[in-house]
Amino acid sequence: RRNKRSPHRFANAVTTKMLQSSKKSSCLFRKITFICGLIAVNCVNEVKSVEFYTEKPAFLPSCKIYQPGFTKCSTNTVQKLIDQLVIGIPEVVKEFGTFDPMHVHDIYFKQDNNDVATVRANLSEVIVKGFSKTVIKESRVSKKDFSWVTKIFLPKMRLDAKYKMEGRILLIPLRGAGKMFIEIDNLDIILYTKTRLYQKAGYTFDNVTAVRVDLNMTRVQTNFENIFNGQSKEVERSTNEFFNENWRDFYEALKPIIIETVETILYDIMHKVFNLIPANFFVEDIPTPEQLYGNKKSSGK
């Protein structure tokens, strides 16, 4: 015999199911709303990378090279750029990581037939600190070819790395591998930058083609662990002390490594920055490539 539900019991059951369904739907709706909210917040907070800036960034003052006081203005502009690199420019951070400390690619160094040293060295896991304290003392831009000379001061620069080295320095035979650091006090850098202007999307850009640096400092301190493959810690200690006491001579042996490191850092950063920010935003009255070079091909990098 089939059971028959009363109309009231049937209506109550339907109502209960509808309420349960409504609660589930409401709960599901709240979850979806919450997730969508998170996505929306993340989308707002996320900084999207761009190929290049089409609007002048607020942190960057512009200058006019054909007006008096350009060098002072240019010096201030480059300092503001460095300050922003320390804070972080998303496209630069994405490619290179933080400005300070900075992770540098491996360095391979070879120096033969030198009175001071004959050395072969590989540096890996290179970390350089100190560029957040950069002071731009002067930035001069050539009106002839828009290359520039920049005078830079770092109170202290430190390079930490793992090394493998063999050869001789100051007549001391060396063969070792381990951790090392080079610390430089009061580092003055004169940076010579060659560029080539090119046009893109109606903007003029600086393509950094070459850099060269001259360095001067008041002291270099170094330490190499396992410099004799750990055979004698006492000899290792006294050798490091000898290098630090005679740091000027030792610097001549390390000079190519230090110069290559500084040039690599400055080239990589500038090449990225000046392909990201149009030269028009640095120098408002910069000529177009066609105006500077004439009818020669000037649209490419």
Side-chain angles (χ1 to χ4, degrees):
R1 190 175 61 179
R2 190 169 55 181
N3 291 328
K4 295 183 179 179
R5 295 182 181 179
S6 69
H8 295 293
R9 290 181 63 188
F10 180 76
N12 289 337
V14 170
T15 302
T16 300
K17 287 184 178 180
M18 288 178 65
L19 287 173
Q20 290 173 345
S21 177
S22 176
K23 287 180 180 179
K24 288 181 179 178
S25 298
S26 177
C27 182
L28 179 61
F29 178 78
R30 285 197 299 270
K31 287 181 179 179
I32 292 172
T33 303
F34 177 72
I35 292 170
C36 289
L38 287 178
I39 293 172
V41 169
N42 286 334
C43 287
V44 170
N45 290 335
E46 182 183 358
V47 179
K48 294 182 178 179
S49 295
V50 296
E51 181 186 356
F52 62 89
Y53 290 1
T54 56
E55 294 183 5
K56 187 173 79 71
F59 64 80
L60 195 69
S62 296
C63 304
K64 293 185 177 180
I65 196 169
Y66 297 107
Q67 288 188 354
F70 171 77
T71 297
K72 183 178 180 180
C73 180
S74 175
T75 302
N76 177 59
T77 296
V78 177
Q79 183 67 63
K80 294 293 185 183
L81 174 62
I82 294 294
D83 294 343
Q84 189 62 37
L85 283 169
V86 174
I87 296 169
I89 296 176
E91 292 77 11
V92 178
V93 173
K94 182 178 179 182
E95 186 163 339
F96 299 105
T98 57
F99 189 63
D100 190 3
M102 186 183 304
H103 294 262
V104 182
H105 61 69
D106 294 356
I107 298 171
Y108 303 95
F109 167 67
K110 180 180 178 181
Q111 179 169 290
D112 292 325
N113 302 321
N114 186 291
D115 292 338
V116 178
T118 299
V119 176
R120 294 184 180 185
N122 296 341
L123 305 186
S124 61
E125 299 181 26
V126 183
I127 298 176
V128 177
K129 301 175 183 177
F131 275 88
S132 62
K133 304 297 183 182
T134 297
V135 177
I136 304 299
K137 298 168 71 174
E138 186 177 72
S139 173
R140 289 188 173 273
V141 181
S142 167
K143 295 177 183 178
K144 180 180 179 181
D145 61 1
F146 286 85
S147 60
W148 59 79
V149 179
T150 313
K151 294 181 180 179
I152 303 168
F153 174 73
L154 271 66
K156 188 182 292 291
M157 188 189 90
R158 177 174 171 123
L159 182 154
D160 288 88
K162 290 184 178 179
Y163 81 96
K164 290 182 180 180
M165 180 170 59
E166 61 178 319
R168 62 166 181 82
I169 297 178
L170 303 177
L171 302 178
I172 300 174
L174 303 174
R175 181 186 294 270
K179 294 181 180 179
M180 54 84 70
F181 74 77
I182 302 171
E183 196 169 83
I184 303 173
D185 293 337
N186 300 316
L187 177 60
D188 280 302
I189 305 170
I190 301 179
L191 169 66
Y192 302 90
T193 307
K194 290 292 183 183
T195 68
R196 180 80 180 176
L197 301 187
Y198 69 96
Q199 197 82 5
K200 183 166 62 174
Y203 296 93
T204 297
F205 286 82
D206 275 310
N207 183 39
V208 176
T209 57
V211 301
R212 179 174 64 84
V213 299
D214 288 337
L215 305 180
N216 192 23
M217 68 284 298
T218 59
R219 182 170 176 81
V220 177
Q221 185 175 2
T222 60
N223 188 76
F224 293 83
E225 294 181 2
N226 298 315
I227 201 166
F228 300 104
N229 280 329
Q231 293 180 5
S232 173
K233 289 297 180 183
E234 179 59 30
V235 174
E236 175 186 313
R237 183 188 61 78
S238 61
T239 301
N240 278 305
E241 286 180 357
F242 175 77
F243 287 154
N244 289 322
E245 289 169 1
N246 298 274
W247 71 267
R248 291 187 184 277
D249 292 328
F250 190 49
Y251 167 69
E252 288 302 316
L254 297 178
K255 188 175 180 179
I257 294 179
I258 297 171
I259 286 178
E260 181 178 346
T261 300
V262 173
E263 287 180 345
T264 297
I265 290 171
L266 294 176
Y267 174 83
D268 288 348
I269 293 293
M270 287 193 301
H271 191 268
K272 177 63 179 180
V273 166
F274 291 107
N275 284 338
L276 175 68
I277 305 176
N280 309 91
F281 297 161
F282 291 93
V283 182
E284 289 183 6
D285 53 351
I286 195 169
T288 65
E290 187 175 358
Q291 290 171 335
L292 185 63
Y293 307 127
N295 293 326
K296 298 176 182 179
K297 291 183 179 180
S298 55
S299 60
K301 292 189 274 184

